[in-house]
């Protein structure tokens, strides 16, 4: 469903807004609005978030990325809402191919529920404009310093590497070539997929961690904030890939991660969206957020969000499938709250 018609504008107009002469958005709500407006200005139709239970798609447990509602559009089975679209999509990654459940609470950046900001081209623009739009949003609208950014491309994607050089001015040291699944994105075992280019933010040398592709890439220092997927193939159940009817673009930027960057922290759990929930958990349990209890409060806050949005989208706790995942999420949050001292139901 479309919630806003794209305003007249051009890619170039949006891309030329490369000077921070405006108030820079920092709160999550402001960032979501700024993202959607930026892409509306570049002729994208703004779509509202689809439900967390994918429509007519038994291959997928939950909507796990912004492109999920457009899966059949990429494969040519459905007509696109427009040639370009943008959304802020509710996502759950707690089952199936993309599953972050066990990381939650123990890293600064994983969630079972999060929002994915995305822009999509359905056979319209491809690599160059996708990179240009992303670069301009980050360094223009968000006024991020290029020094704090670095990018990856799929190992043999010379075209993307050359485009990054041209658009960002980066040298080879800031355009890292990565082989394997980190730079080849797919939604699940079947469906649209393609090589990708990820944009990383460097939170600074005071944090442990190395650049993507290095042995300590999972540290907190370098965090992937935006993934640009160059959708080219449709993966078949037998593992073969056929060309999509039109090369397309699918991007995904975690709202919570970019909010952390804009709020001056590397820790998603310190952003505005989590502060009130964690404060409520502290209030109800009487336990502080430091030391051994830190992870528990984070897990409770994360799982409350996931449970609330799943139930709102029609999932109920049960013994199987989606309902069982919800039940596990609720049970873990309740058990941790109980252990922190919240004994009442
Ligand atoms: N579909 C892009 C992503 O999830 O990163």
């Amino acid at each position: 469903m479309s919630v806003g018609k794209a305003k007249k504008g051009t890619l170039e107009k949006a891309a030329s807004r490369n000077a921070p002469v405006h108030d820079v958005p920092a709160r999550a709500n402001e960032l979501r609005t700024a993202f959607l407006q930026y892409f509306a200005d570049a002729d994208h139709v703004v779509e509202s978030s689809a439900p967390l239970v994918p429509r007519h798609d038994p291959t997928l447990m939950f909507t796990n990325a912004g492109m999920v509602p457009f899966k059949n559009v990429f494969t040519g089975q459905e007509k696109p809402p427009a040639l370009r679209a943008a959304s802020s999509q509710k996502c759950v990654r707690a089952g199936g191919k993309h599953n972050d459940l066990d990381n939650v609470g123990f890293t600064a950046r994983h969630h079972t529920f999060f929002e994915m900001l995305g822009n999509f081209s359905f056979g319209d623009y491809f690599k160059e404009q996708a990179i240009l739009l992303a670069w301009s949003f980050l360094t223009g609208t968000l006024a991020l310093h290029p020094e704090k950014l670095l990018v990856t491309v799929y190992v043999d994607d010379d075209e993307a590497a050359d485009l990054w050089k041209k658009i960002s001015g980066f040298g080879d040291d800031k355009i890292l070539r990565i082989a394997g699944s980190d730079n080849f994105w797919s939604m699940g075992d079947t469906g649209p997929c393609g090589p990708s280019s990820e944009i990383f933010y460097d939170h600074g040398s005071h944090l442990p961690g190395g650049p993507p592709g290095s042995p300590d890439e999972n540290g907190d220092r370098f965090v992937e904030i935006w993934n640009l997927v160059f959708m080219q193939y449709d993966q078949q159940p037998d593992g073969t890939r056929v060309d999509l009817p039109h090369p397309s673009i699918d991007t995904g930027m975690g709202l919570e991660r970019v909010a952390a960057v804009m709020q001056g922290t590397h820790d998603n759990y310190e952003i505005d969206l989590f502060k009130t929930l964690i404060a409520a958990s502290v209030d109800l349990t009487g336990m502080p957020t430091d030391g051994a209890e830190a992870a528990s409060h984070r897990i409770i806050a994360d799982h409350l969000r996931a449970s609330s949005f799943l139930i709102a989208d029609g999932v109920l706790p049960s013994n199987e499938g989606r309902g069982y995942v919800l039940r596990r999420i609720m049970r873990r949050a309740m058990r941790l709250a109980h252990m922190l001292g919240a004994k009442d139901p």
Side-chain angles (χ1 to χ4, degrees), residues 64-68 93 98 114 116 120 185-187 196 198 224 226-229 231 250-253:
N64 60 13
M67 57 72 67
V68 168
R93 289 191 172 179
H98 296 278
F114 66 100
M116 186 177 283
F120 310 94
W185 197 85
S186 47
M187 175 189 112
S196 71
E198 297 185 320
E224 179 216 331
W226 204 344
N227 189 17
L228 316 183
V229 185
M231 284 292 191
D250 152 39
T251 85
M253 174 156 64

Side-chain angles (χ1 to χ4, degrees), residues 135 138-139 144-150 170 174 200-201:
W135 181 252
L138 294 176
T139 59
L144 295 179
H145 200 291
E147 228 169 64
K148 301 290 283 175
L149 301 171
L150 77 162
F170 283 169
K174 299 261 273 176
F200 285 75
Y201 184 81

Side-chain angles (χ1 to χ4, degrees), residues 7 34 40 46 58 61 64 74 101-102 105 113 121 149 169 175 196-197 225 264 270 289 309 315-317 324 336:
K7 282 189 175 174
V46 175
M61 187 165 262
N64 60 13
F74 285 115
L101 191 55
D102 292 333
F113 172 87
S121 150
L149 301 171
I175 304 171
S196 71
S197 176
I225 53 171
E270 288 180 357
T289 51
F309 279 94
V315 183
L316 289 175
Y324 183 62
L336 289 172

